[in-house]
Amino acid sequence: MLLSLVLHMYSMRCVLPAAVLLGTAPTYVLAWGAWRLLSAFLPARCYQAVDDRLYCLYQSMVLFFFENYTGVQILLYGDLPKNKENIIYLANHQSTVDWIIADILAIRQNALGHVRYVLKDGLKWLPLYGCYFSQHGGIYVKRSAKFNEKDMRNKLQRYMNAGTPMYLVIFPEGTRYNPELTKVISASQTFAAQEGFAVLKHVLTPRIKATHVAFDSMKNYLDAVYDVTVAFEGTIDDKGQRKEAPSMAEFLCKECPKIHIHIDRIDKKDVPEEQAFMRRWLHERFEIKDKLLIEFYDSVDPERRNKFPGESVNSKLSLKKTLPSLLILSGLTAGMLMTEAGRKLYVRTWIYGTLIGCLWVSIKA
């Protein structure tokens, strides 16, 4: 019975972070909504500057739980940019935690508020968050034939016209790599072979549309492209085979001791502009990712497994960057919930905020 209790407590370690992150969402949305109304007659640049600060506040709290609370060790390899830049961030996709990895790098450049995502269309229906991500600069896209290139270009142009700092996160694979979904991997490999590309083992064949539109639209606005390869330690089973990467819940239960992040900073002049050439270039970048991950998971030398080639830097995030956000947002939320009027406002924000948000994204996003 005691063992069962211990196991139950272990599995509940993600409840506190989830409760705080979701519980503070209405407070955050109310603060953002108030600023949205106040800034209605101000230049878009003014709205964006404060919105970026608000986004940084919330995401710093997210990182408190995903870094400080879990105690995960962050190991950085390759290029380690320290200054803010307008960039496109291209990464392999294997877990819901991948969204947090972009935050992990951005906060180390003091660019956390500038992170914006290219998201699959279905995520726009997330309660509260779906509408807000669109307002913050996120772009929802549909796959393959339904991809709306003109809409994406127009949104990016609006952000550039407003001088919006851009840390645009794209996962070119389009879906998460899961070693247990052999049919998805096989289909991806078959497609690569048919197109005359190298067959990849630990990543899926990348799609070019969103990456090309983003780069082509912002080529005179960008400083660089970050090619990011991520591996989660603890994702090799007893037989030496790669297993599924941890979900957000599993990660918050401290099931991942280390995250290995390899960064290649590519100057924009080294990225081909024509779509056909960029397609081959992008696949070649994913070949490099695949080689790094083969070394990580499959190296015959046990000493070379569970790490990328080259020197790594152990990067620890200070509580000074995350704890204040937690105290501010949780304190404001607790204060709201202490009064009857506050509790009513809190509940109404969840209900009406979700309904209005879904209506908004159905029209605008």
Side-chain angles (χ1 to χ4, degrees):
M1 185 175 178
L2 180 60
L3 178 60
S4 297
L5 180 61
V6 170
L7 291 173
H8 180 67
M9 291 297 291
Y10 178 85
S11 66
M12 293 290 284
R13 286 190 296 180
C14 68
V15 172
L16 174 62
V20 175
L21 294 173
L22 290 173
T24 55
T27 308
Y28 179 78
V29 168
L30 283 170
W32 166 77
W35 170 241
R36 196 75 178 101
L37 291 173
L38 289 171
S39 64
F41 300 103
L42 296 176
R45 191 184 296 266
C46 294
Y47 160 74
Q48 198 68 61
V50 176
D51 176 61
D52 285 355
R53 293 293 184 106
L54 289 171
Y55 186 80
C56 182
L57 179 72
Y58 186 84
Q59 294 300 322
S60 295
M61 180 181 67
V62 171
L63 288 177
F64 169 84
F65 288 110
F66 278 88
E67 282 206 60
N68 303 121
Y69 173 80
T70 62
V72 67
Q73 189 175 351
I74 305 297
L75 296 171
L76 303 178
Y77 303 75
D79 303 322
L80 306 175
K82 294 182 180 179
N83 299 320
K84 296 178 185 179
E85 297 184 287
N86 287 320
I87 61 107
I88 293 175
Y89 169 113
L90 303 175
N92 58 313
H93 195 19
Q94 59 196 309
S95 166
T96 49
V97 182
D98 291 336
W99 306 102
I100 311 300
I101 304 298
D103 288 349
I104 286 172
L105 291 182
I107 197 171
R108 286 160 170 81
Q109 291 178 263
N110 293 314
L112 185 56
H114 303 168
V115 175
R116 311 176 208 283
Y117 300 103
V118 174
L119 303 146
K120 64 181 180 181
D121 192 63
L123 294 174
K124 69 185 181 183
W125 304 113
L126 286 172
L128 299 184
Y129 295 99
C131 178
Y132 175 70
F133 282 143
S134 175
Q135 293 294 301
H136 180 65
I139 299 172
Y140 293 106
V141 296
K142 295 180 180 178
R143 293 176 181 170
S144 60
K146 295 182 179 179
F147 179 82
N148 191 331
E149 178 178 329
K150 182 179 179 181
D151 185 56
M152 183 173 178
R153 286 183 183 276
N154 288 341
K155 288 178 180 176
L156 289 172
Q157 189 61 53
R158 283 204 308 273
Y159 300 143
M160 289 187 289
N161 290 344
T164 303
M166 193 59 67
Y167 200 103
L168 187 66
V169 178
I170 302 176
F171 299 108
E173 290 161 286
T175 192
R176 294 193 295 271
Y177 177 97
N178 181 346
E180 297 174 7
L181 299 180
T182 54
K183 288 184 178 180
V184 173
I185 295 170
S186 178
S188 175
Q189 292 173 339
T190 299
F191 176 77
Q194 289 173 345
E195 296 295 313
F197 293 133
V199 172
L200 307 173
K201 180 179 181 182
H202 285 293
V203 290
L204 301 176
T205 303
R207 307 175 188 215
I208 188 59
K209 286 185 179 179
T211 303
H212 177 258
V213 170
F215 186 82
D216 189 57
S217 300
M218 300 193 297
K219 58 191 174 188
N220 297 321
Y221 193 75
L222 295 172
D223 297 301
V225 172
Y226 292 177
D227 181 6
V228 179
T229 306
V230 179
F232 297 93
E233 195 161 313
T235 50
I236 300 176
D237 63 22
D238 296 336
K239 297 179 181 179
Q241 299 298 309
R242 182 179 177 182
K243 61 181 183 180
E244 186 178 4
S247 65
M248 282 189 177
E250 290 167 337
F251 191 91
L252 289 170
C253 284
K254 306 183 182 181
E255 293 190 14
C256 178
K258 298 177 184 178
I259 303 177
H260 300 256
I261 308 173
H262 188 281
I263 308 111
D264 275 331
R265 183 192 181 278
I266 304 165
D267 195 279
K268 66 178 182 180
K269 68 179 177 8
D270 296 323
V271 181
E273 295 183 16
E274 293 293 328
Q275 183 168 336
F277 294 115
M278 183 183 286
R279 186 185 185 201
R280 183 161 293 280
W281 171 85
L282 182 62
H283 196 89
E284 288 171 354
R285 296 309 310 179
F286 269 72
E287 287 181 54
I288 295 171
K289 292 179 184 296
D290 203 43
K291 289 175 182 176
L292 288 171
L293 292 168
I294 286 172
E295 183 82 0
F296 188 92
Y297 289 110
D298 303 330
S299 177
V300 293
D301 183 356
E303 294 295 320
R304 295 169 65 179
R305 259 185 241 153
N306 281 315
K307 60 183 179 180
F308 290 135
E311 295 295 320
S312 65
V313 174
N314 183 6
S315 180
K316 188 174 177 63
L317 183 62
S318 170
L319 276 171
K320 292 179 182 179
K321 288 196 170 186
T322 59
L323 186 58
S325 298
L326 172 67
L327 296 176
I328 291 168
L329 287 170
S330 57
L332 290 172
T333 303
M336 187 189 304
L337 294 175
M338 289 177 67
T339 66
E340 184 177 351
R343 288 190 291 272
K344 287 181 179 178
L345 179 60
Y346 181 88
V347 172
R348 286 171 180 168
T349 302
W350 264 118
I351 296 171
Y352 297 119
T354 298
L355 293 175
I356 294 171
C358 287
L359 179 62
W360 178 266
V361 296
S362 68
I363 298 170
K364 294 287 187 179

